[in-house]
Amino acid sequence: MVMKVHGAVLSTAAMRVFATLYEKDLEFEFVPVDMGAGEHKQERFLALNPFGQVPAFEDGDLQLFESRAITQYIAFAYKDKGTPLLCEGKPMATVSVWMEVEAHQFDTAASKLQWELMFKSIFGMATDAAVVEENEAKLSKVLDVYEARLSQSKYMGGDCFTLADLHHLPVLTNLMGTTVKKLFDARPKVSAWAADI
Amino acid sequence: MAAPVKVYGPPLSTAVSRVLACLLEKDVEFQLVPVNMAKGEHKKPDYLKIQPFGQVPAFQDESITIFESRAICRYICEKHADKGNKSLYSTNPLVKASIEQWLEAEGQSYNPPSSTLVFQLAFAPRVNIKQDEAQIKLNDQKLSKVLDIYDQRLESSRFLAGDEFTLADLSHLPNTHYLVTVGNRGEAFSSRKNVDRWWNEISSRDSWKKVVEMQKSK
């Protein structure tokens, strides 16, 4: 039975899961969820994710939500397929640290900026300049730490590309299409890493 | 014999107490290293070397240094899989996936509103920062929605990830403790039948009682 990803192509969280599946060369079925029509808040979908958010995931009898839990499951369960995405033993702790950093430090500021500068205009809403300014300042501080980290390490988790890097991709890609790109361009190591991944 | 691991930061910190609870559950010896946050020690170069974001906790085990409380907890559980509470973070991939799911839910959905409320209700008054009523109201509403989902989940499951107490439940202890004590938000939990049962069960674990004692003595 083929793995299923329930989501929407615009969803950065769903993209995190797609990226992992492509890296590992795994077949899956994409089940579109019509968020415009509120499908993600209806009973059928809530049975898959009680928080009413995308993505939701199925692998046989296993049902999961939370993109970062899904990607980790895939990376462990299909360890031997495609790109490793995780490291065995000691360096796993370091990958774990930078996965948390992405989730708690990077994503908080970055997804607010993405919302203000990209999604709002798609939905015909006005950008809040104060929110943009506040979160650019926060993201700048995070990227300063990243610049120092990437001066000591080729990728966020160590020498190899892992989930700690991959988890950044969806929001990072969106931000590169906005004025926030300047924050990445201003930092050589970060800029090179972003281009690489 | 290996030296005890080091945890940097005050037990009063929610993130630090998350790690302490995990160490106690796993029966792993540790040394608590104080960090004087009132004097800004966590923002000084020496500390930034081990935690570049200038936050607590930081953690050292032999030659490895790590930060981010949930990453530290995972590391402790994986390294000492056979010590103490073995079902805290299962090695079975399917069980682990469920634990990860609820640990992520805690980090992404429970932590933001609950930590904002903890700051506003418990810490702001102590450091003479004016409370933001609008933020409190907004986050009370967000927390309410999350607790409704938890109540539904806990109707059919003893703990969040399944039948056993796991890291996913443990991760909720620090913020919730402050919310129901200093924060006066006990009713949000006691008014929901399954959440009430769950909170009473997880908060009466010996490990958590020890952490609360440590918080009182510092």
Side-chain angles (χ1 to χ4, degrees), chain A residues 121-178:
Chain A
S121 59
I122 293 176
F123 298 127
M125 296 160 72
T127 301
D128 184 335
V131 174
V132 172
E133 198 182 326
E134 186 190 338
N135 286 283
E136 278 190 343
K138 286 184 180 169
L139 186 62
S140 286
K141 288 204 173 126
V142 173
L143 292 180
D144 284 341
V145 176
Y146 278 26
E147 186 69 12
R149 169 64 184 161
L150 292 164
S151 307
Q152 304 166 328
S153 181
K154 183 163 186 217
Y155 293 99
M156 296 303 289
D159 292 331
C160 54
F161 175 78
T162 67
L163 288 182
D165 308 287
L166 185 151
H167 285 173
H168 291 84
L169 280 169
V171 180
L172 174 60
T173 307
N174 285 340
L175 288 180
M176 289 307 222
T178 72

Side-chain angles (χ1 to χ4, degrees), chain B residues 77-182:
Chain B
C77 288
E78 285 186 330
K79 183 171 180 188
H80 300 283
D82 292 326
K83 282 204 83 178
N85 185 335
K86 293 183 191 151
S87 52
L88 199 61
Y89 193 52
S90 176
T91 45
N92 174 310
L94 295 179
V95 179
K96 193 185 204 196
S98 180
I99 299 172
E100 281 296 347
Q101 173 182 274
W102 288 100
L103 191 47
E104 285 299 314
E106 181 273 323
Q108 293 288 322
S109 298
Y110 186 80
N111 190 53
S114 61
S115 60
T116 304
L117 284 169
V118 168
F119 177 75
Q120 289 289 333
L121 300 169
F123 289 113
R126 280 191 209 183
V127 293
N128 276 321
I129 291 176
K130 187 163 182 278
Q131 289 178 326
D132 184 333
E133 293 300 332
Q135 275 295 312
I136 292 173
K137 189 171 177 198
L138 177 66
N139 285 283
D140 269 332
Q141 285 168 348
K142 286 183 179 175
L143 183 68
S144 216
K145 289 199 174 131
V146 173
L147 289 178
D148 284 341
I149 294 168
Y150 279 22
D151 202 51
Q152 192 196 349
R153 166 61 181 167
L154 294 163
E155 173 80 36
S156 55
S157 185
R158 185 174 170 197
F159 297 99
L160 285 171
D163 293 328
E164 306 274 1
F165 173 78
T166 67
L167 256 195
D169 308 288
L170 183 151
S171 210
H172 291 78
L173 287 163
N175 291 4
T176 312
H177 173 75
Y178 282 133
L179 285 178
V180 306
T181 55
V182 186

Side-chain angles (χ1 to χ4, degrees), chain A residues 68 98-108, chain B residues 104 107-108:
Chain A
R68 296 171 187 83
W98 294 96
M99 280 199 287
E100 288 296 312
V101 168
E102 180 276 324
H104 296 284
Q105 315 274 7
F106 179 84
D107 193 62
T108 349
Chain B
E104 285 299 314
Q108 293 288 322

